[in-house]
Amino acid sequence: MEKDKALSIVKEKLPNKRYVHTLGVLETAVNLAQKYGVDQKKVELAAVFHDYAKFRPIDEMKQIVVNENMDDALLLYGDELLHGPVGAYLVKQEIGINDEGVLDAIRYHTTGRPNMTLLEKVIYIADYIEPNRCFKGVEEVRELAKQDIDDALITSISNTVNFLMKKKQPVFPATLAAYNYLILKEE
Ligand SMILES: Nc1ncnc2c1ncn2[C@@H]1O[C@H](COP(=O)(O)OP(=O)(O)O)[C@@H](O)[C@H]1O
Ligand SMILES: [Fe+2]
């Protein structure tokens, strides 16, 4: 699918602010893809559709997790986790995207996972550092992303885990596993 066609589809599904965020993720992800050598077409599709399910009713997303036999843990660690895996499912069903690499990048863009592909890393980091983001620690990750995408990933995951822990919120296990995987690989 052409990028402009994809954008016109998500524009209908997202409020303007979230659409602007999506454009930021797209631009950032394409830059990272060039730097790290990832297929531009796949990155474009994953970036444009990464938040496709973000505004679906929570009950509808929970129902899909159950009906499609997705990981039950998705129901236990906060509703924010649903839109990645449910988005991958809906983008396949409703848009007809079948590329498993693209679907995985959408599926894991919130939590990450161990042994991520470069495409998954690019989408995860682009989501974190796109120009409209302005939270504590984002500038450091922007700088790291220019040097080493794994270092950017370690710092962004660490920031997110710390953020959740400070608020006494649960941390989805795959995120901790992603962190451990990257740290053990660096040693
Ligand atoms: N490992 C995790 N465990 C539980 N919740 C998480 C985890 N990682 C992120 N979140 C939640 O998901 C939210 C961010 O979702 P994300 O898809 O990264 O961004 P966006 O808001 O742009 O869709 C965070 O605010 C946080 O509450
Ligand atoms: Fe998201």
Side-chain angles (χ1 to χ4, degrees):
M1 180 182 296
E2 285 306 309
K3 183 179 75 178
D4 287 346
K5 167 78 180 151
L7 281 171
S8 72
I9 293 171
V10 295
K11 200 172 195 308
E12 300 286 294
K13 298 278 179 189
L14 303 176
N16 189 253
K17 190 160 181 250
R18 184 55 47 170
Y19 181 69
V20 170
H21 160 70
T22 297
L23 292 176
V25 173
L26 174 60
E27 186 199 343
T28 307
V30 167
N31 282 333
L32 290 171
Q34 263 162 14
K35 179 172 172 47
Y36 291 106
V38 183
D39 185 281
Q40 173 152 347
K41 287 282 161 214
K42 290 181 198 248
V43 162
E44 284 177 358
L45 275 185
V48 171
F49 286 111
H50 82 283
D51 272 343
Y52 180 76
K54 183 90 178 169
F55 294 89
R56 295 282 168 137
I58 301 294
D59 285 347
E60 187 188 325
M61 291 197 283
K62 287 182 170 169
Q63 204 51 248
I64 291 173
V65 168
V66 173
N67 292 348
E68 299 305 318
N69 295 310
M70 294 178 191
D71 184 359
D72 287 340
L74 289 168
L75 304 169
L76 304 174
Y77 292 83
D79 295 343
E80 276 297 318
L81 297 185
L82 299 168
H83 75 283
V86 170
Y89 171 77
L90 290 175
V91 159
K92 185 169 184 167
Q93 297 299 315
E94 297 179 359
I95 315 296
I97 291 174
N98 288 309
D99 186 305
E100 288 300 328
V102 170
L103 296 175
D104 280 342
I106 297 169
R107 187 172 287 125
Y108 298 111
H109 86 264
T110 305
T111 61
R113 63 164 169 171
N115 199 9
M116 291 164 80
T117 65
L118 255 185
L119 174 58
E120 289 166 27
K121 291 175 183 178
V122 162
I123 297 299
Y124 186 97
I125 293 298
D127 187 29
Y128 196 88
I129 66 172
E130 63 92 4
N132 304 290
R133 296 289 205 197
C134 53
F135 44 77
K136 192 165 155 284
V138 69
E139 201 48 55
E140 184 189 359
V141 178
R142 284 189 182 117
E143 289 308 313
L144 290 171
K146 293 176 190 162
Q147 310 299 327
D148 184 324
I149 198 159
D150 283 350
D151 288 343
L153 213 53
I154 288 169
T155 299
S156 56
I157 290 174
S158 162
N159 288 350
T160 299
V161 169
N162 274 295
F163 170 83
L164 290 166
M165 286 183 169
K166 261 188 207 123
K167 294 200 300 173
K168 291 213 159 55
Q169 287 186 8
V171 180
F172 192 68
T175 309
L176 298 168
Y179 173 83
N180 286 329
Y181 181 91
L182 290 160
I183 291 290
L184 289 168
K185 198 160 63 69
E186 295 239 317
E187 278 169 2

